[in-house]
Amino acid sequence: MGQKGCAATLAGAAEQGNEGLEEMAAQRRADEEAVRLSGKSDDEVAAELEAAEERFTKASAEFEAATAHRNAMRAVMEQRKRLSGNYTPEEQAASVQRLYDRLNEGRSRR
């Protein structure tokens, strides 16, 4: 396995480890929240739930807006790369491969 393959494997393992830690932390926060809410009345819990749902709705809208902005910025960068021809060797090779694939697909249809 080359250096890049090894680095990718290590990065993937670290990412999985981080996800596991994040899940454990989220579960612990949920457990702590359950203990905190256990002493409250139904009305107090319902009010907190409503507030949490409002925060979630707002966060979801912000996430969607951020995703749209990110996608627009990616499109702009891709367009600039296309116009300038400033591609990495890997991107250039992938582009050539796509062209060959399209050419071969067209030939096979005849």
Side-chain angles (χ1 to χ4, degrees), residues 50-70:
E50 185 176 338
E53 287 178 349
E54 288 174 8
R55 287 192 308 274
F56 181 81
T57 300
K58 181 180 176 186
S60 294
E62 289 175 2
F63 177 80
E64 291 298 323
T67 300
H69 183 258
R70 181 196 63 196

Side-chain angles (χ1 to χ4, degrees), residues 4 8 19 24 33 38 43 53 56-57 59 69 77-79 84 90 98-99 101 106 110:
K4 286 184 180 179
E19 289 175 4
M24 288 173 52
E33 189 69 5
S38 66
D43 290 341
E53 287 178 349
F56 181 81
T57 300
H69 183 258
M77 289 304 295
E78 185 60 33
Q79 181 183 35
S84 70
E90 293 84 8
R98 283 192 301 274
L99 288 173
D101 292 346
R110 289 188 218 162

Side-chain angles (χ1 to χ4, degrees), residues 20-47:
L21 289 175
E22 288 173 9
E23 287 176 19
M24 288 173 52
Q27 183 60 51
R28 181 175 175 163
R29 285 191 302 273
D31 292 345
E32 289 171 352
E33 189 69 5
V35 168
R36 185 182 72 78
L37 292 173
S38 66
K40 295 199 174 205
S41 71
D42 288 349
D43 290 341
E44 290 171 319
V45 173

